[in-house]
Amino acid sequence: MANLKTNVNSNILISDTMNLDRKRGSYMDKQVYTDYFFDEPAFNTHDGGYVALETPTTQQTPLAIPALAVPDSETVHEVSYTITAQESSAQLLPGKRTKTWGYNADILGRTIILQDGQDVHITLKNQLPELTTFHWHGLNVSGPIIDGGCHAPVYPGKSSKIDFTLHQQAATTWLHPHPCPSTAEQVWHGLAAAVIVKDKHEASLHLPRNYGVDDIPVVLQDRRFHEDNQLNYRADYDPDGVQGPTALINGTVNPYFDVTSQRLRLRLLDGANRREWRLHFSNDLPFTQIAGDGGLLPDAVDLTHLMITCAERAEIIVDFSQYHAGDEVVLYSDDTPLIHFRIHDFKADPEPLPTHLLDIQAPTVDPATPIRKVVMSGMDESVMLDGKKFDMQRIDAEQPMGQAQYWDITNTNDMTGGMVHPFHIHGTQFLVISRNGHAPYPNEHGYKDTVGVNPGETVRILVRFDLPGIYMYHCHIIEHEDGGMMAQIESYDTSKPQPTYKLMDMETLSKAFAAERGIPVSELWMAGMDSYAKMGMKM
Ligand code: C2O
Ligand code: CU
Ligand code: CU
């Protein structure tokens, strides 16, 4: 990150921790961070509508490890997948099975593996009773069609195909639906899958990568189970984000995991609609964060506590060397146990983890380039982005392709009583430059696509689009994005005439949803519509 320094305005403080981190390899005493970094008064536990997690009373069951998606064909240079969004049911609690949706699975989805440099061909099949889209959150692919935002519906019984060449470093990204304004409800039904990008550099490092054994995705979600163990999104609806008291980890209630290696790599994903996870292990066992949303951090960071906001990912390595067969280590969020790690015999791995992981070259910013201001305001139905609610037909901003630009993302919520809004941009990975002029948190020096913004805070990020297209950007509390806290930007190739894009419109989507549900449009209820209606605004 050294060259970040020269690019940042002189009023930005360069962090001590940044320098410390860089030099840490030479320190005998490793620095271990012990706080969550985010502003405590903004934690979701202070929300009026906060739903506390309950400690499960059902029997511990093995943590589900999503199966790997099987490619239709694969070579080093090319891979084809068929991804089917389907209706199903899953045994989540004793008794009745819960009706769920999933990608090639009963719930969540099979994990998709892609390699940097591959030509990727994906057939998207919709076997749900209603339209959906397939959004590749965190992949460097172009919008508005390939990235699967609201402009790319696949209707029930239909399929479509996307093709792209992936240029991206190793990272944990994910797939989820994005049909406006019903993203939140479709995610609540169970649609979400891990998409793991691999590359040569990551493969050369001494890190655990035996999928399902010492390298596992951990999708953190929460749900409320109603009568007969069923989900009822509308009954639980809250415009500030739907929550439930039961933690669901990879679709498992009250999971345990059998540890058979000294080190375990957890690819944590906050796949919840609204919940923040404040993670820590029993006995404050320190762990090492090696990656964020967009891949490896420049330097590994040692922590005892980690907070992730909606859609964020963190890859951590937990070292169980001080434990023995028969011991148990518990992962908590606040005070609620999430996963019980049952320690078994393992082979000692004396080789230390790498401390320097990745060289990051921040792109140079032309000082003449203005700083883009983005404002997230409101709570409940009043949420807006730049004082407006999202309009699929409106392009809110433009940025030349390949040009790096600072974006200042402001959360105008009150510092007392406000909330952290996780800000996300499609189709790119950005760098976090500063928070209110101060250094970013020690564990956010890598590429990111989602950043939590505290109330009263302005987070400066450095954004570049490498592909032309239309990209949505929004709060990732999913009810907030459905409720209109979202906008879209066009990235264009300055050497070519600007293309015109065919953008989706609300009328087409609501007619389709109504027809699929067999009701007149006037009876259609979709969470996001409510927010517009209550504000007297047209969708
Ligand atoms: Cu997770 Cu608009 O995306
Ligand atoms: Cu996204
Ligand atoms: Cu928000």
Side-chain angles (χ1 to χ4, degrees):
M1 291 292 266
N3 53 353
L4 259 186
K5 194 168 187 168
T6 54
N7 295 327
V8 173
N9 287 359
S10 54
N11 63 337
I12 303 294
L13 299 171
I14 292 299
S15 97
D16 290 334
T17 49
M18 221 187 232
N19 293 323
L20 240 188
D21 272 352
R22 263 212 317 276
K23 286 187 278 174
R24 204 189 49 195
S26 63
Y27 286 126
M28 290 299 287
D29 49 327
K30 290 212 283 186
Q31 176 160 12
V32 179
Y33 295 94
T34 57
D35 68 67
Y36 290 121
F37 305 127
F38 287 93
D39 295 346
E40 199 282 337
F43 289 1
N44 61 349
T45 43
H46 301 295
D47 275 2
Y50 178 66
V51 176
L53 287 177
E54 288 166 8
T55 300
T57 52
T58 54
Q59 232 189 6
Q60 286 181 26
T61 45
L63 176 72
I65 303 296
L68 293 175
V70 182
D72 301 329
S73 68
E74 182 170 31
T75 67
V76 215
H77 304 294
E78 216 168 328
V79 68
S80 311
Y81 282 105
T82 301
I83 305 299
T84 305
Q86 62 192 50
E87 268 187 297
S88 190
S89 68
Q91 191 76 57
L92 302 180
L93 292 173
K96 286 256 170 62
R97 289 174 71 88
T98 305
K99 289 185 187 133
T100 51
W101 292 1
Y103 294 117
N104 303 13
D106 291 336
I107 186 170
L108 299 175
R110 291 193 172 218
T111 299
I112 300 162
I113 309 279
L114 302 173
Q115 307 276 348
D116 174 38
Q118 261 178 340
D119 289 326
V120 181
H121 313 283
I122 308 182
T123 304
L124 309 166
K125 278 194 174 173
N126 182 359
Q127 290 179 357
L128 301 172
E130 62 182 45
L131 72 91
T132 190
T133 77
F134 297 74
H135 172 51
W136 305 92
H137 179 127
L139 283 193
N140 291 340
V141 296
S142 68
I145 302 303
I146 296 175
D147 87 333
C150 65
H151 302 292
V154 182
Y155 294 96
K158 298 280 190 291
S159 64
S160 67
K161 265 203 88 181
I162 54 168
D163 304 283
F164 56 89
T165 302
L166 190 65
H167 293 293
Q168 184 152 1
Q169 64 177 67
T172 305
T173 69
W174 60 304
L175 165 66
H176 68 75
H178 214 305
C180 299
S182 207
T183 300
E185 186 165 1
Q186 291 202 348
V187 172
W188 193 256
H189 275 303
L191 292 174
V195 180
I196 296 175
V197 179
K198 302 202 159 194
D199 73 3
K200 290 205 182 91
H201 170 65
E202 188 277 336
S204 74
L205 298 175
H206 181 67
L207 295 171
R209 63 175 66 77
N210 189 357
Y211 185 83
V213 179
D214 61 11
D215 179 355
I216 59 174
V218 177
V219 184
L220 302 165
Q221 297 179 315
D222 57 304
R223 295 290 183 269
R224 183 182 294 283
F225 294 95
H226 292 263
E227 214 186 322
D228 291 333
N229 295 339
Q230 300 310 306
L231 305 173
N232 186 341
Y233 181 77
R234 190 166 182 175
D236 295 335
Y237 183 66
D238 177 334
D240 263 342
V242 176
Q243 306 164 63
T246 305
L248 208 57
I249 319 297
N250 291 350
T252 314
V253 177
N254 204 14
Y256 71 86
F257 181 82
D258 287 315
V259 175
T260 57
S261 59
Q262 178 188 318
R263 293 194 180 101
L264 188 58
R265 177 184 193 165
L266 305 178
R267 297 173 186 263
L268 305 164
L269 156 66
D270 183 343
N273 287 39
R274 191 272 173 269
R275 188 173 298 277
E276 296 153 1
W277 302 85
R278 276 172 292 275
L279 304 171
H280 57 100
F281 290 92
S282 38
N283 299 319
D284 280 344
L285 175 67
F287 53 92
T288 305
Q289 185 173 346
I290 56 162
D293 308 328
L296 293 169
L297 301 178
D299 295 285
V301 176
D302 296 306
L303 308 157
T304 57
H305 290 70
L306 171 67
M307 173 165 148
I308 56 173
T309 66
C310 297
E312 280 190 298
R313 285 88 66 208
E315 291 182 32
I316 63 168
I317 308 275
V318 195
D319 189 324
F320 297 102
S321 50
Q322 55 174 292
Y323 293 91
H324 301 102
D327 290 347
E328 186 182 89
V329 174
V330 182
L331 174 67
Y332 292 88
S333 183
D334 293 324
D335 296 328
T336 310
L338 298 180
I339 309 178
H340 301 262
F341 292 96
R342 297 184 182 174
I343 314 298
H344 295 264
D345 284 325
F346 53 77
K347 208 165 118 248
D349 175 7
E351 191 177 335
L353 290 178
T355 51
H356 180 71
L357 301 167
L358 185 74
D359 294 322
I360 290 186
Q361 292 289 322
T364 310
V365 182
D366 178 345
T369 308
I371 294 166
R372 185 183 309 288
K373 310 267 185 216
V374 178
V375 175
M376 294 190 285
S377 63
M379 293 205 277
D380 292 307
E381 287 90 357
S382 74
V383 290
M384 288 197 246
L385 204 125
D386 291 334
K388 287 173 272 192
K389 281 197 184 286
F390 182 62
D391 181 340
M392 279 181 243
Q393 292 273 309
R394 183 185 69 220
I395 295 171
D396 298 277
E398 293 189 339
Q399 183 166 327
M401 192 185 106
Q403 187 185 92
Q405 189 170 359
Y406 291 120
W407 292 28
D408 277 358
I409 319 300
T410 300
N411 174 356
T412 61
N413 283 179
D414 209 300
M415 298 212 219
T416 55
M419 63 205 286
V420 176
H421 294 282
F423 179 79
H424 166 57
I425 313 178
H426 286 204
T428 188
Q429 293 291 337
F430 52 76
L431 291 170
V432 182
I433 304 300
S434 62
R435 289 181 174 271
N436 273 352
H438 297 281
Y441 301 149
N443 62 341
E444 56 187 10
H445 290 170
Y447 288 105
K448 287 183 66 61
D449 55 51
T450 308
V451 61
V453 184
N454 291 289
E457 189 176 42
T458 295
V459 177
R460 175 167 294 183
I461 59 175
L462 184 49
V463 182
R464 188 179 70 191
F465 296 99
D466 291 330
L467 297 166
I470 307 274
Y471 301 97
M472 306 166 98
Y473 51 104
H474 55 85
C475 175
H476 216 292
I477 288 177
I478 313 183
E479 281 72 13
H480 283 180
E481 73 179 80
D482 280 347
M485 200 178 210
M486 179 152 69
Q488 52 193 350
I489 186 165
E490 177 170 354
S491 145
Y492 59 95
D493 185 340
T494 48
S495 69
K496 293 195 179 129
Q498 238 166 299
T500 39
Y501 294 95
K502 200 184 157 329
L503 300 178
M504 191 35 67
D505 60 274
M506 201 50 226
E507 208 189 315
T508 307
L509 286 186
S510 10
K511 278 192 185 148
F513 273 117
E516 290 154 7
R517 294 177 191 181
I519 52 168
V521 179
S522 56
E523 278 169 34
L524 192 63
W525 182 86
M526 283 189 292
M529 291 172 78
D530 234 31
S531 285
Y532 284 71
K534 289 217 170 101
M535 294 293 289
M537 297 168 93
K538 210 187 140 295
M539 258 208 118

